[in-house]
Amino acid sequence: MATAPAERSIVMLFLKNPPTFLFFTGKGGVGKTSLSCATAIRLVRLGKKVLLVSTDPASNVGQVFSQEIGNKITAISTVPGLFALEIDPQQAAREYRERIIGPVRGALPEAVVSGIEEQLSGACTTEIAAFDEFTALLTDATLTADYDHILFDTAPTGHTIRLLQLSGAWSGFIEKNPEGASCLGPLAGLEKQRQRYAEAVKALSDPVRTRLILVARAQKTTLAEVARTHQELAATGLTRQNLVINGVLSAEEAAYDALAAAIRHREQAAIAGMPAALRKLPVDQLPLKAFNMVGVEALCSLLSDQDESAPAGNGAPPAKCADLPQLSALVEAIAGRGHGLIMMMGKGGVGKTTLAVAVAVALAERGLPVHLTTSDPAAHLSDTLAGSLRHLEVSRIDPEVETERYRRHVLDAKGQDLDAEGRAMLEEDLRSPCTEEIAVFQAFSRVLREADKQFVVMDTAPTGHTLLLLDATGAYHREVTRHGIDPQVHYTTPMMQLQDPERTQVLIVTLPEPTPVLEAAQLQEDLRRAGIEPWAWVINSSLAAAPTASPLLKQRAALEVAQIEAVRTHHAQRIALVPMQTEEPVGIDQLRSLLNPAS
């Protein structure tokens, strides 16, 4: 008989003397849901009664346990003592928007209502609405008495917590400042729950009751992002934090071939060089598994030394991936246009910067003039390029400088007549991610004009929501169209250029994993609301496109096929598959290998 998983458990620092509330946070695809589910099972097997709550838009807790859960506390049949609740953040956001907009629909002009709806369609609204749902769990004495531990899959951001900590009258501020509230707008619907929110924030900040588990992968960009999250949340009072680095390739697996060895080397270098703030935290590492975390047995293995054997194979790429276009095919189609704007979009950590540089190099080597620019604070275009090329100009827009310039402008224009409390609210609102995107886009707008005569490759572009928000709050597009310019006079606004498929190609970058693909699909819908149709998808760092002798990596490659097929058949008009690289894609020669790996 097999040894019970609990008897072979790995000692984990984040589970030492666990408090009542455990929050798991990290970017999409790092394994938050798997780790929170595995932790819940571990605690139940230690004799605890546990409630697992997910507010992740990509939540698959029901799928993991092979039963329907939904927005009600449900007993997990395969794990007695474990209960789960899935809060659908999109549904919560829809209901939340309706509570705010419903009373004014019909009383205000349709254009005004549409503007309010757009203001309430961003990520900040979704997060606040979801937090509104599970606040009751933090403050309900009956629930906390019923369960030994309550686990949350996906924690609120520091920005949201700071918003909730503000003591002023949210709705009154919105009434007086309708144009300067990209994130404070959603708070207008929370006035009645003010006391409950204060209690929830107090519970979050209590180190005796709450622990935050930062989940990351062993990647430089991911660890840098987690370090920012750590500092942002610590500043709000969530000081009891642990770091879990998930999916680390073992030394044994790295011995199979050059690809596995390269992955191991990159991961270990990222861990050794992670920010000092993270090294001060208690840190756990979990090994990469050869299978998806579905089912109790698989989840138990995540926190134990047991594993499943990987199937044998010849190391060749899966047949379904062998005939997919390479990045060079997309570049060939782009080059035929002669000029235009190329926007690389996607979540952090998917490789946008590297692919943007590779595309710019390929175009420049064809003798086409190219301006490559970025606003990513973690992007080092010159380091990735590691050289220079004729026809290629490289620039960087500093988001901190641009955001501070925009903040000062708004504070001077709208904050001069506010009292101290109102000014504090406006300042916090201006710390939102939307503010940075708007400020940076204004800087990008100066570069966009160049795309009429050459290629402009833009790494890190604003979301569709931000573009609509900018457009709805006095952007150039609205000003031009509102002032009744002679229809015979030709003019083009930045928004019109982005919406013109003959002048702009948007490339969505993702990874061949469930959460990154779902997030990319949500980004695509976001852009479509703004009238921007993505031109192509690029699936980056694919093991399915990279032959390997490692049994574990081969099984991981097989798991990618379903995600690649979903992109090809359901999401993308055009697709390119970029294999996982043996060598770090730095320097012109290595960047060329991204375009056409077989060459």
Side-chain angles (χ1 to χ4, degrees):
M1 181 178 291
T3 306
E7 296 175 0
R8 303 171 60 183
S9 298
I10 302 171
V11 176
M12 304 300 293
L13 297 177
F14 80 91
L15 278 173
K16 184 178 180 181
N17 300 321
T20 301
F21 302 118
L22 292 169
F23 280 85
F24 295 81
T25 190
K27 76 179 188 67
V30 295
K32 295 188 302 294
T33 298
S34 299
L35 185 57
S36 59
C37 290
T39 300
I41 294 172
R42 167 76 73 87
L43 291 171
V44 166
R45 293 191 172 184
L46 291 174
K48 307 297 184 181
K49 187 177 179 183
V50 178
L51 174 62
L52 173 62
V53 182
S54 176
T55 61
D56 190 334
S59 176
N60 61 343
V61 172
Q63 179 184 354
V64 164
F65 289 111
S66 301
Q67 72 176 82
E68 188 171 334
I69 297 174
N71 193 21
K72 62 184 184 303
I73 295 178
T74 303
I76 303 300
S77 59
T78 52
V79 187
L82 175 58
F83 299 79
L85 167 66
E86 284 183 316
I87 296 172
D88 182 346
Q90 301 301 332
Q91 179 62 30
R94 285 192 293 271
E95 294 173 356
Y96 189 75
R97 281 194 295 271
E98 187 55 33
R99 288 204 301 271
I100 296 175
I101 298 171
V104 301
R105 188 176 282 113
L108 294 176
E110 186 59 33
V112 174
V113 173
S114 296
I116 298 172
E117 286 179 330
E118 183 52 49
Q119 187 181 68
L120 297 175
S121 69
C124 191
T125 300
T126 302
E127 186 178 325
I128 288 174
F131 195 51
D132 183 45
E133 291 276 325
F134 73 61
T135 296
L137 304 176
L138 288 169
T139 57
D140 188 329
T142 304
L143 277 176
T144 53
D146 281 347
Y147 298 97
D148 298 297
H149 302 285
I150 301 180
L151 279 55
F152 294 92
D153 174 17
T154 300
T157 65
H159 171 60
T160 294
I161 293 172
R162 286 194 305 270
L163 285 173
L164 299 173
Q165 287 173 325
L166 292 171
S167 59
W170 296 317
S171 57
F173 178 84
I174 302 304
E175 289 170 5
K176 296 176 183 176
N177 300 274
E179 293 186 357
S182 62
C183 280
L184 286 169
L187 294 178
L190 298 179
E191 195 68 33
K192 294 178 181 178
Q193 292 99 314
R194 179 182 298 280
Q195 183 58 40
R196 195 178 81 186
Y197 267 81
E199 293 173 6
V201 171
K202 183 178 179 181
L204 280 170
S205 304
D206 184 351
V208 175
R209 289 188 285 171
T210 299
R211 179 177 298 167
L212 185 76
I213 295 96
L214 303 163
V215 188
R217 299 297 292 265
Q219 300 165 343
K220 182 179 178 181
T221 54
T222 304
L223 289 168
E225 187 173 323
V226 165
R228 289 191 292 271
T229 300
H230 155 66
Q231 292 170 331
E232 184 182 50
L233 290 169
T236 68
L238 275 77
T239 56
R240 193 175 180 185
Q241 300 185 17
N242 286 63
L243 173 64
V244 177
I245 303 175
N246 191 26
V248 179
L249 193 67
S250 68
E252 293 77 14
E253 206 69 30
Y256 277 99
D257 62 14
L259 178 61
I263 293 172
R264 167 79 179 178
H265 175 75
R266 288 198 290 266
E267 290 180 345
Q268 293 304 306
I271 292 170
M274 68 181 174
L278 295 182
R279 289 199 295 271
K280 295 177 182 177
L281 298 177
V283 181
D284 294 301
Q285 291 187 34
L286 291 173
L288 180 67
K289 297 293 184 177
F291 46 89
N292 284 332
M293 290 293 126
V294 177
V296 174
E297 184 177 353
L299 289 166
C300 288
S301 77
L302 184 61
L303 299 179
S304 78
D305 61 4
Q306 70 175 353
D307 210 333
E308 293 182 6
S309 59
N314 59 14
K320 288 186 177 180
C321 300
D323 60 348
L324 288 177
Q326 297 173 339
L327 186 59
S328 57
L330 296 185
V331 172
E332 200 66 40
I334 291 170
R337 297 173 179 267
H339 62 85
L341 173 65
I342 313 300
M343 294 205 305
M344 288 288 180
M345 301 189 69
K347 293 291 186 177
V350 296
K352 295 188 302 295
T353 297
T354 300
L355 293 178
V357 178
V359 168
V361 165
L363 293 171
E365 289 194 323
R366 285 167 167 78
L368 299 164
V370 181
H371 183 173
L372 170 64
T373 186
T374 185
S375 65
D376 187 346
H380 301 285
L381 298 180
S382 297
D383 292 345
T384 302
L385 186 61
S388 60
L389 280 176
R390 289 185 61 195
H391 311 297
L392 177 59
E393 174 191 357
V394 179
S395 70
R396 178 176 178 270
I397 295 169
D398 188 328
E400 289 189 8
V401 172
E402 298 298 335
T403 302
E404 182 57 28
R405 181 182 296 133
Y406 180 79
R407 287 181 68 251
R408 293 259 60 90
H409 170 73
V410 174
L411 283 170
D412 290 344
K414 298 184 180 298
Q416 57 184 351
D417 297 325
L418 297 175
D419 58 19
E421 189 174 69
R423 190 173 177 88
M425 286 185 167
L426 182 58
E427 287 179 342
E428 182 54 50
D429 185 52
L430 289 170
R431 292 190 184 101
S432 77
C434 273
T435 298
E436 180 176 303
E437 288 192 2
I438 289 171
V440 167
F441 182 71
Q442 290 185 343
F444 269 139
S445 295
R446 298 191 291 269
V447 179
L448 292 184
R449 290 190 288 270
E450 299 178 15
D452 287 332
K453 298 180 179 179
Q454 64 177 20
F455 281 108
V456 174
V457 180
M458 182 186 295
D459 169 34
T460 307
T463 64
H465 166 67
T466 299
L467 293 171
L468 280 171
L469 188 64
L470 181 67
D471 208 40
T473 57
Y476 179 56
H477 177 81
R478 192 186 76 171
E479 293 301 310
V480 169
T481 55
R482 187 174 65 179
H483 287 302
I485 290 180
D486 186 340
Q488 301 302 315
V489 176
H490 178 74
Y491 65 91
T492 303
T493 69
M495 189 69 161
M496 291 166 63
Q497 181 169 344
L498 298 181
Q499 293 170 332
D500 185 352
E502 295 301 315
R503 306 180 70 189
T504 299
Q505 280 77 54
V506 173
L507 278 64
I508 292 181
V509 184
T510 189
L511 300 174
E513 300 170 9
T515 301
V517 168
L518 176 62
E519 289 179 338
Q522 291 170 340
L523 172 60
Q524 178 161 267
E525 289 306 309
D526 195 21
L527 289 167
R528 284 172 172 168
R529 283 193 302 109
I532 299 169
E533 182 63 31
W535 184 75
W537 282 45
V538 181
I539 303 175
N540 194 26
S541 299
S542 171
L543 289 168
T548 178
S550 161
L552 186 149
L553 294 184
K554 283 190 287 187
Q555 189 161 351
R556 297 297 307 178
L559 294 173
E560 291 181 358
V561 174
Q563 300 306 316
I564 294 170
E565 278 294 292
V567 172
R568 187 181 68 83
T569 58
H570 297 301
H571 300 307
Q573 296 184 33
R574 298 171 187 82
I575 186 174
L577 190 64
V578 178
M580 177 74 74
Q581 301 293 298
T582 300
E583 300 293 331
E584 193 77 23
V586 173
I588 293 171
D589 287 341
Q590 292 303 322
L591 289 167
R592 289 191 190 108
S593 71
L594 289 173
L595 274 294
N596 192 355
S599 62

